[in-house]
Amino acid sequence: MKSYPFSYRWEFPCTSTPEELWPLISDTNRFFKDMGQLPVQQASLSHDKKRGHKELTYEHLHRIDFWEEEPYQWEAPFRYSVHRIYRHGYYKSLTFKTEITNRNNGTVVTIHFRGQAKGLAGWLFTKRKFGAHFRIKVGKIIACYDASASRKCFPSFKKRSFLLKKRNRWNSLREKLAETSGKPALSKLLIRTLRESDETDLTCIHPPKLAELWGKPLHEVIEVLLYAAKIDILNFSWNITCPSCRKNLQNIKKLAEITAAPFCQDCGKDAELDFNHTIQIVFQVHPLVKKLSQKVYCAGNPQERPHVYLNQVLQPGQKKFVSIRLPAGDYRIYSDKNKESIYASVAANGLDSATLAFRQNESQVQHVKITPNPYLVLHNQTDEPLHIICEKNSWENYSISASHVTSLQLFRNLFPREFIRSEKQIASRNLTILFTDLINSSQIYTSNGDELAIGQVMWHFEALHQIILEEHGAIVKTIGDAVMAIFPKPIYAVKAFERAHLLFKKNLQTEHPIRLKAGIHSGDCVAVTLNNRIDYFGNTVNIASRLVEHAKGGELVISSEAYKNGDLKSFISKKRDNLSIHHFDVSLKGFESHSFEAKKITLQSPLRLVV
C-alpha cells in the first residue's frame, strides 16, 4: 500500500519561561486529553517487543489502531518527542515533538507532527485530523497553559458554575475543612483547586507539588491534606515505585496490603520495597466530591518521572548534542546497559560544555562539575543501542515517603489503624536519625517544682515537634525526656537542632532553662509495626542513640556517615568564619569492637563547631 508522508509544524508565542511551561506541556497525559485524543490501553501484539517499548491501542474500539510506542525522549525543559510504529490503522508511523525555546525576549512553543499515512484513506484522514480547527484548538491549549503558569494554578478549560446549589456545596466543604483543620487560608486554596482543576491533576496529588504551586510550607500543606482525607474530601493511597527507574508500579489503599515487591517491566526485575524511598503517599479527590474517570491518554510521559532531566536513546557509535537546564543539586548520568556512572554537580563555575562517552563494558565512576545550563555531547562508543538518563539524586522534592508521613503525630492521630501488617518488616534505607535529650531534667524538676517543670518539658516537646516538621522531619517517638526523629537528609536534622537550641537559649525565665544535646547518624533501618504504630529498628537507630550520650549541653555529635553528606558540608562551609571542626574517635556502648569517627558540634550564636 502506498504511503503518504506528512508534516505539520506550528509555533505559539508565550510569556512564561520554559521552566514554568515544562511541567504542563510535558505532561502528555494532560496534553493528549486536552487535544481530544481517545484514552489508551495496553495491547498484546507480540512476545518479542523491546524493553521500554509499549504496545497500545485506543480504549474505544470504533477506530482500530494498534501501535508500538518507543520510549519518550526529552531534554528538560526544552523539548521532548515520542515515535509510534503502527501495526494497524491510518498511519505507518507518527512522531510527535514539542520544543520550548527562548526567542526575542519571550518563549515560543513549537508543536510538530510528522509521519507517513497509509493509502489514500490515511492521507484524507490526516488532512482532516490536522486541519485549521485542530491547530486553533492546540493554540488555545498552549495559551491556557501559559496563563495558568503565570497565575501559579492548575490549568482548566471549564467555566465557573454560577448555579447557587453548586456554589453552596463548595462553600460548605471549605467551611467544614477550615473548622476541622484550623487553616482557613489553605482550606480555601484546596477547595478552589478541587473545584476548578481537571481530573488529570486530581487523580494523583503529591503534597510537594501543591506546596510549590501555592507557595506554602510543605508541612502545612501535608496537614491540611490529611484533615481533608479525614472528613472525606480527599482519599489517600500508597504508590510503590521502582527504585531504579522510579516508575509507579502499583497503587494500594492500605499499608497492610503490602506483601511482595511488584515487578518492573521496564527494568526487568522485582522492585525492592523501601519504606523511605519506594513507598509514597498520594492523595485523590473523594468520588463523592468529584467523580474521576481514571482514564489514561498516554504511557510513559516525562512528568511521570519529574526527577529525570535527560532521557535519550543513542544508536551504536552515535553522537548527540543535547541542552538541558538543571536546578542546583547533584545528578547521576548513566546508561541502561553498562555499569558506568557519571556523577555531576551543578555550580556557576562548572563546565559550560562536556563530552560524555559511554564505552563497552565500562564500570568506572566519573565526576564532573557543570553549569545549570550545560551543552552536553553524548557519545555511544559501544556496539549496541544505549538508553542515557540524567536524574536528580534527591527524592524528597517530588513525593512524601511512607516513613515521613507515618511518623507524623497528626497522621497517627487521624488514622490510627494505618500501619504495616504485624509480621511484615520493610527496609527503610538512607534515613537520618536524630536523638535529642535534656541535659538537666532532674535540676529542672528540683528547682522549679513539678508543675512548672512539666510545663517546661511539654513546651519543649511541642517546640521540637513544630521545628522538626518545618525541617522536613517527623518525630517517631519520645522516650522519657528524649525524642527520636527521622529526616531524609542530615542537613535537615542539623538545622532542626540548631533552631531548637537557639529557641531554648532565648527563653531563660527559669533558673535552669531547657538545654538540649543530640546525636545524629545516617544509614539503613527496618520499619515495623510496634504497639500499633510505625517504629524503626536497627544499628542506625542504636548508634544515633549512643552518640547522644557523648554530647553535653548545647552539643551535637554527628557520625562521619552523616557528616559526609554534600548538602551538610555546604551548609557548614557557609559558616566557616564562625566555626572550628575537631575530628575524634568514639567507642559506643554495645559496639565495643568498633571505633566510630564523629564530629562534636557545640552550638552557639552563630553556629560554632568545637570539641
Side-chain angles (χ1 to χ4, degrees), residues 46-63:
S46 62
H47 297 286
D48 58 349
K49 65 178 179 180
K50 299 177 182 178
R51 180 176 294 176
H53 288 223
K54 309 289 184 183
E55 294 179 334
L56 303 170
T57 183
Y58 288 116
E59 187 176 291
H60 302 290
L61 296 180
H62 59 269
R63 195 170 100 226

Side-chain angles (χ1 to χ4, degrees), residues 9-46:
R9 187 176 184 273
W10 309 308
E11 293 185 350
F12 305 97
C14 297
T15 59
S16 303
T17 65
E19 289 87 350
E20 292 170 333
L21 288 169
W22 177 258
L24 300 173
I25 293 180
S26 66
D27 184 355
T28 49
N29 189 60
R30 174 206 305 279
F31 202 3
F32 290 171
K33 176 179 181 294
D34 292 342
M35 285 193 293
Q37 303 302 297
L38 295 172
V40 299
Q41 62 185 15
Q42 296 283 342
S44 297
L45 306 178
S46 62

Side-chain angles (χ1 to χ4, degrees), residues 54-284:
K54 309 289 184 183
E55 294 179 334
L56 303 170
T57 183
Y58 288 116
E59 187 176 291
H60 302 290
L61 296 180
H62 59 269
R63 195 170 100 226
I64 306 299
D65 292 89
F66 292 96
W67 68 89
E68 180 179 338
E69 188 165 290
E70 296 179 359
Y72 278 76
Q73 299 189 54
W74 65 88
E75 302 165 44
F78 300 117
R79 59 191 60 85
Y80 69 88
S81 64
V82 62
H83 181 65
R84 295 176 176 179
I85 301 173
Y86 281 77
R87 306 289 182 85
H88 195 279
Y90 288 111
Y91 305 118
K92 287 186 66 176
S93 64
L94 175 65
T95 298
F96 172 59
K97 184 176 182 179
T98 298
E99 292 191 77
I100 311 172
T101 55
N102 293 314
R103 191 185 303 173
N104 298 328
N105 297 321
T107 302
V108 174
V109 176
T110 303
I111 306 295
H112 192 187
F113 292 92
R114 60 181 173 84
Q116 291 186 320
K118 286 183 180 178
L120 182 60
W123 180 79
L124 292 173
F125 175 83
T126 303
K127 292 286 287 184
R128 182 173 178 270
K129 169 69 177 177
F130 297 108
H133 177 75
F134 186 72
R135 180 182 61 80
I136 293 172
K137 185 174 184 177
V138 172
K140 290 181 178 179
I141 294 170
I142 300 298
C144 178
Y145 291 175
D146 188 26
S148 64
S150 300
R151 298 196 308 267
K152 302 295 183 183
C153 65
F154 290 129
S156 176
F157 296 93
K158 296 181 179 179
K159 294 182 179 179
R160 183 174 296 182
S161 174
F162 291 96
L163 295 177
L164 184 61
K165 183 177 180 180
K166 287 188 176 181
R167 288 169 56 192
N168 288 341
R169 175 171 171 268
W170 287 111
N171 288 337
S172 176
L173 290 174
R174 175 178 54 80
E175 293 170 359
K176 184 178 181 182
L177 180 57
E179 181 182 358
T180 304
S181 66
K183 300 180 182 298
L186 281 177
S187 298
K188 182 179 180 180
L189 279 173
L190 178 60
I191 297 303
R192 187 182 70 184
T193 299
L194 299 181
R195 182 184 73 237
E196 298 178 358
S197 300
D198 186 77
E199 65 178 34
T200 53
D201 294 308
L202 304 181
T203 304
C204 186
I205 302 172
H206 287 285
K209 188 174 183 178
L210 279 187
E212 181 181 6
L213 187 71
W214 295 342
K216 300 295 182 180
L218 177 59
H219 69 278
E220 293 186 10
V221 173
I222 295 174
E223 289 176 5
V224 78
L225 293 179
L226 291 175
Y227 279 117
K230 183 63 177 179
I231 60 177
D232 294 333
I233 293 177
L234 298 176
N235 282 334
F236 70 83
S237 57
W238 306 91
N239 277 350
I240 300 179
T241 60
C242 174
S244 298
C245 66
R246 305 188 191 180
K247 176 185 176 183
N248 181 35
L249 303 178
Q250 186 179 3
N251 181 268
I252 58 176
K253 298 299 181 183
K254 291 185 174 294
L255 288 173
E257 297 176 12
I258 296 177
T259 53
F263 180 78
C264 179
Q265 293 183 345
D266 288 355
C267 296
K269 56 186 178 182
D270 290 329
E272 191 174 356
L273 293 176
D274 187 335
F275 211 59
N276 190 39
H277 289 300
T278 65
I279 305 174
Q280 300 109 22
I281 190 170
V282 291
F283 293 84
Q284 310 86 25

